[in-house]
């Protein structure tokens, strides 16, 4: 049996994945393969580097720091963000603080040096294609996967530029199956459970369109699981539609409550499998 952890994207909602990881690792469920997109790539990189319960404390500390000081992650005050948007025309925040925090956590580790096989999804601009990082520096790949359009600048790795992996594959279940996983635990942030409403404002159109595309692909891949492969979609708790607003992307308040609530729900789910 080959066990995969698939960690989906979701910005600030990615905190719930820490609760899921705690529930899994406490029960002795460890991955042979970790796949991550966007914030799931960040969480996934740490668990691939340290697939033990100890990693939960590291992740909780990272999210707790973000909750007490969003500027440590994004490095900007609102006025500076506005100035950057005007000067660049493409993004609000600098990627440098995020990259530095990842370097602090992971150093210069490469995919080849990780104890668990790990891959990261990003969207290639030049090729207009889904790209999977599986070799080279891990931090560069995670920054590329988390380059949210309009919020962070496109990330350059080698001769190409990348945007957030959620554009092309937000919850990469099918990738895990293609790589040989027979038991998949899906760590998703809760958006797939929310009902969608008809957009009423211009800025809601893109969000709703993206959600339709994201959910359609995941549901299709879930329906197309081959015989002999099982997938467990772990439950997320403590999230709401307010988290999808522009201001919500920086609102880290309540992340510890979300982690705890999701841990309890995931623990109950996993105990029910026994």
């Amino acid at each position: 049996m080959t066990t995969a952890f698939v960690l989906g994207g979701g910005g600030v909602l990615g905190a719930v994945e820490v609760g899921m990881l705690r529930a899994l690792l406490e029960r002795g469920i460890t991955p042979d393969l970790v796949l991550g997109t966007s914030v799931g790539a960040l969480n996934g990189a740490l668990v691939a580097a340290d697939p033990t319960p100890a990693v939960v404390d590291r992740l909780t500390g990272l999210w707790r720091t973000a909750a007490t000081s969003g500027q440590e992650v994004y490095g900007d005050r609102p006025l500076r963000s506005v100035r950057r948007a005007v000067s660049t025309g493409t993004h609000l925040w600098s990627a440098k603080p995020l990259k530095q925090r990842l370097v602090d956590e992971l150093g210069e580790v490469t995919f080849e040096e990780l104890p668990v096989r790990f891959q990261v999804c990003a969207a290639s601009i030049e090729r207009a294609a889904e790209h999977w990082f599986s070799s080279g520096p891990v931090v560069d790949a995670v920054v590329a996967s988390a380059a949210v359009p309009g919020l962070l600048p496109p990330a350059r790795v080698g001769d190409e530029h990348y945007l957030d992996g959620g554009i092309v594959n937000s919850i990469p279940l099918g990738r895990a199956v293609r790589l040989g996983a027979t038991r998949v635990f899906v760590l998703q942030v809760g958006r797939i459970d929310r009902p969608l409403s008809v957009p009423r404002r211009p800025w809601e159109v893109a969000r709703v369109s993206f959600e339709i595309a994201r959910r359609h692909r995941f549901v299709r891949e879930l329906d197309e699981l081959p015989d002999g492969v099982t997938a467990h979609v772990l439950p997320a708790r403590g999230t709401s539609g307010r988290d999808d607003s522009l201001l919500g992307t920086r609102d880290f308040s309540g992340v510890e409550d979300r982690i705890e609530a999701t841990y309890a729900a995931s623990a109950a789910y996993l105990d029910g499998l026994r």
Side-chain angles (χ1 to χ4, degrees), residues 78-97:
L79 181 57
R80 187 176 299 173
S81 296
V82 172
R83 289 173 176 167
R84 177 173 287 107
V86 172
S87 63
T88 66
T90 59
H91 58 277
L92 289 170
W93 305 326
S94 168
K96 292 180 181 178

Side-chain angles (χ1 to χ4, degrees), residues 61-221:
L62 190 154
W63 282 96
R64 184 182 295 121
T65 299
T68 57
S69 176
Q71 275 72 38
E72 181 165 333
V73 178
Y74 297 116
D76 288 326
R77 298 184 182 279
L79 181 57
R80 187 176 299 173
S81 296
V82 172
R83 289 173 176 167
R84 177 173 287 107
V86 172
S87 63
T88 66
T90 59
H91 58 277
L92 289 170
W93 305 326
S94 168
K96 292 180 181 178
L98 173 61
K99 183 172 184 177
Q100 185 58 56
R101 188 60 195 268
L102 287 168
V103 170
D104 293 343
E105 293 289 340
L106 296 166
E108 298 180 359
V109 69
T110 64
F111 285 87
E112 294 85 350
E113 294 169 327
L114 294 172
V116 176
R117 187 182 184 190
F118 179 49
Q119 294 192 4
V120 167
C121 180
S124 167
I125 293 177
E126 285 84 358
R127 289 181 289 114
E130 177 178 323
H131 178 83
W132 283 92
F133 289 95
S134 59
S135 63
V138 171
V139 168
D140 289 347
V142 174
V143 171
S145 182
V148 182
L151 300 184
L152 290 168
R156 180 170 182 170
V157 181
D159 295 328
E160 291 190 52
H161 297 81
Y162 298 90
L163 287 172
D164 193 290
I167 297 171
V168 288
N169 201 340
S170 185
I171 308 174
L173 172 60
R175 178 75 175 184
V177 174
R178 288 192 294 276
L179 292 176
T182 54
R183 182 176 65 162
V184 183
F185 291 94
V186 177
L187 288 72
Q188 53 83 35
V189 302
R191 285 194 176 121
I192 60 174
D193 302 324
R194 296 179 191 161
L196 288 176
S197 300
V198 176
R200 300 183 182 279
R201 298 176 179 86
W203 56 86
E204 293 178 348
V205 175
R207 181 181 64 81
V208 171
S209 300
F210 176 67
E211 280 300 318
I212 292 171
R214 181 214 313 258
R215 299 182 194 190
H216 171 76
R217 176 167 185 170
F218 176 66
V219 170
R220 186 189 70 214
E221 291 184 346

Side-chain angles (χ1 to χ4, degrees), residues 207-256:
R207 181 181 64 81
V208 171
S209 300
F210 176 67
E211 280 300 318
I212 292 171
R214 181 214 313 258
R215 299 182 194 190
H216 171 76
R217 176 167 185 170
F218 176 66
V219 170
R220 186 189 70 214
E221 291 184 346
L222 197 59
D223 288 341
E224 294 176 349
L225 286 178
D227 292 340
V229 177
T230 58
H232 302 283
V233 182
L234 298 182
R237 296 290 184 268
T239 68
S240 74
R242 294 189 302 272
D243 303 304
D244 297 327
S245 68
L246 180 58
L247 293 177
T249 60
R250 288 190 64 147
D251 183 7
F252 289 85
S253 62
V255 294
E256 290 189 75

